[in-house]
Structures are given as C-alpha cells and as structure tokens.
Amino acid sequence: MKIEILYEDENIVAINKPTGLVVHSDGRTNEPTVVDWILENYPEIKYVGENMGGIERPGIVHRLDRDTSGVLIIAKNQESFEHLKEQFKERLVEKKYNAFVYGKLKEKEGIIDRPIGRSASDFRKKSAQRGAKGELREAITEYKVLNENDDVSFLEVKPKTGRTHQIRVHFKAIHHPIVCDSIYAPKGECLLGLNRLALHASSVSLDLIDGNKISIDTPLPEEFENLINNFWGVDKA
C-alpha cells in the first residue's frame, strides 16, 4: 500500500490519505485500511491510543471519511496521542478543506451553524435538517468561496467541530451538496468525469509536544486541479 508521508518526527506521522481508503475497520468488512499500513510500517504503534469496542485504531486521533482525501495525523506514542486528543477535544486544531459544491452560493463567506443528528430515512446518513433524529450535537462550519460559476463553486472550508460527515451534511442542508457525493447527492452529476467525492483535507495546524506550532499541508489532488483549470483557467485558480 503506497501512502505519501507529509511530515514525520519522533511523536507523529502525517500522511496524505488517498480517496477510497477507509481509516480503520468497522468490524463487519474485510478491506485494506490505513490501520493496516500503520501496523505494517510502524508495528511499535500497535498499542498506542485507546480501545474502541475491540476495533484496532493504533495512533488514530481523528478520522477522514473513506472518500475524503488529505491530511491525517497519527500519534506514534501514548504521550503524543493524549496531547493530540486534548487539542482536538478543545477545538485547538485548525483544519482546512477544499471542496466543490453544486451551484452558486448566495453568501461568498459564511458560517453554517446547524446541529447534526441522525437521518430519519437512512441509517448511513446524518442530518442537519428538520426531522433529524436522536441527540442533536452542535456543529459549526466556516466557508469561503474561492471560485464559482452557475454550476459549481470551489470552496475553502474550516470545520470548527468534528461531527461525522459534518461538511457533507452541512452543505446538503443549505442545498449545495458536495459534488459527486453518492450518499448526500446521489442524483448529482460527477462533473467532467470526476469519479470521487470532491472533498479534500488540505491542511491541519496543531501544537507539537515541544510547544511549536506546525501546519501540515498537502497539494490539491490532480483531479481537483483539472476541474479548476477546466472551469476557470490556470491563471484564475
């Protein structure tokens, strides 16, 4: 399994997770995971972290959806795990995503502040709309439009909370779902042959154990660059 390492020191390793790769097993399916890569390349991390119902999650302090690509941070020892876990819990980690959404947003910068619960119609889905079931948990997402046309907008997105499917659910709730989202926009066209969810974790900024702040970045996927060039041209991206 070939995975790009973006940053590494004695406490953490940051990777560029490919689209289509699940972070850890759900206990029901047998498929390659990021955890498999961790155990193959860093067997000493095996017992780092916390037990979650018998599912192996060595060094995993946050997740990306299967079809979301981009920066994923892995703790290499327990001290680092606890340090990172606390930052995520206290919302001190800054995460930036890039996304293509359908349509043109009325507000070019904004905050989506909508609690998220379970969808009433599909157990796989979350919802930030009327009729959401179960506990409604606070969820806040900031966004800025970087480029747009009548059909699609290219965004920078900063989730301030870390709910499951948060970005996808929030843009679905304001009627501009993520392009090529098979769960939240199943009838939407995958633009220009795009065959993946148009969501990429482009940057994570956090404090290291030694107190230094670091920003770990990854370039846009090639298919994102192709869309930008096709819609707006190289000089305007």
Side-chain angles (χ1 to χ4, degrees):
M1 192 184 304
K2 185 175 176 61
I3 291 181
E4 178 188 7
I5 294 175
L6 300 169
Y7 172 84
E8 184 171 10
D9 61 25
E10 66 273 19
N11 296 307
I12 69 170
V13 57
I15 65 170
N16 185 7
K17 188 191 85 66
T19 183
L21 181 66
V22 69
V23 172
H24 59 76
S25 169
D26 60 5
R28 300 189 299 270
T29 59
N30 184 19
E31 61 182 301
T33 67
V34 171
V35 166
D36 293 334
W37 179 87
I38 293 170
L39 294 177
E40 179 180 351
N41 292 275
Y42 301 90
E44 68 277 11
I45 298 179
K46 182 175 177 64
Y47 298 106
V48 172
E50 55 192 8
N51 189 291
M52 298 290 287
I55 302 235
E56 284 191 307
R57 295 164 46 106
I60 302 296
V61 290
H62 70 124
R63 293 176 59 251
L64 295 176
D65 293 343
R66 174 200 301 272
D67 295 321
T68 302
S69 57
V71 184
L72 183 73
I73 311 295
I74 300 157
K76 296 172 72 173
N77 53 63
Q78 194 64 29
E79 182 184 8
S80 177
F81 177 85
E82 299 295 342
H83 177 74
L84 292 170
K85 180 182 173 184
E86 184 66 17
Q87 286 186 73
F88 277 99
K89 180 181 177 181
E90 297 298 324
R91 303 179 185 176
L92 300 175
V93 178
E94 183 177 272
K95 297 168 286 183
K96 293 182 184 179
Y97 289 72
N98 286 110
F100 292 91
V101 301
Y102 293 110
K104 183 181 289 189
L105 282 74
K106 182 178 180 181
E107 303 293 336
K108 305 315 173 190
E109 293 188 37
I111 298 174
I112 306 170
D113 185 352
R114 293 186 179 220
I116 291 176
R118 299 194 318 270
S119 168
S121 61
D122 188 334
F123 73 92
R124 301 173 304 162
K125 297 166 67 173
K126 303 294 183 181
S127 176
Q129 296 168 277
R130 183 177 299 176
K133 301 297 184 181
E135 179 186 2
L136 299 181
R137 305 183 69 188
E138 179 190 25
I140 300 169
T141 304
E142 295 181 358
Y143 72 87
K144 178 169 65 174
V145 176
L146 302 179
N147 261 315
E148 63 181 9
N149 59 33
D150 289 339
D151 300 316
V152 65
S153 298
F154 180 56
L155 311 179
E156 178 184 87
V157 182
K158 296 180 182 179
K160 298 303 180 181
T161 48
R163 308 305 177 204
T164 299
H165 294 181
Q166 177 174 317
I167 295 172
R168 300 164 69 181
V169 169
H170 267 173
F171 283 98
K172 165 72 172 179
I174 65 168
H175 310 297
H176 294 281
I178 305 292
V179 168
C180 210
D181 191 333
S182 61
I183 295 179
Y184 294 99
K187 296 181 180 179
E189 178 186 0
C190 287
L191 302 168
L192 295 178
L194 188 73
N195 61 359
R196 54 154 295 180
L197 180 71
L199 182 62
H200 177 71
S202 52
S203 176
V204 173
S205 299
L206 49 80
D207 291 331
L208 300 175
I209 287 180
D210 63 10
N212 288 323
K213 190 172 184 68
I214 187 172
S215 181
I216 301 166
D217 306 299
T218 184
L220 291 176
E222 182 179 357
E223 55 268 39
F224 281 36
E225 295 282 7
N226 290 340
L227 279 178
I228 290 169
N229 293 340
N230 272 283
F231 281 126
W232 300 291
V234 176
D235 295 335
K236 297 180 181 179

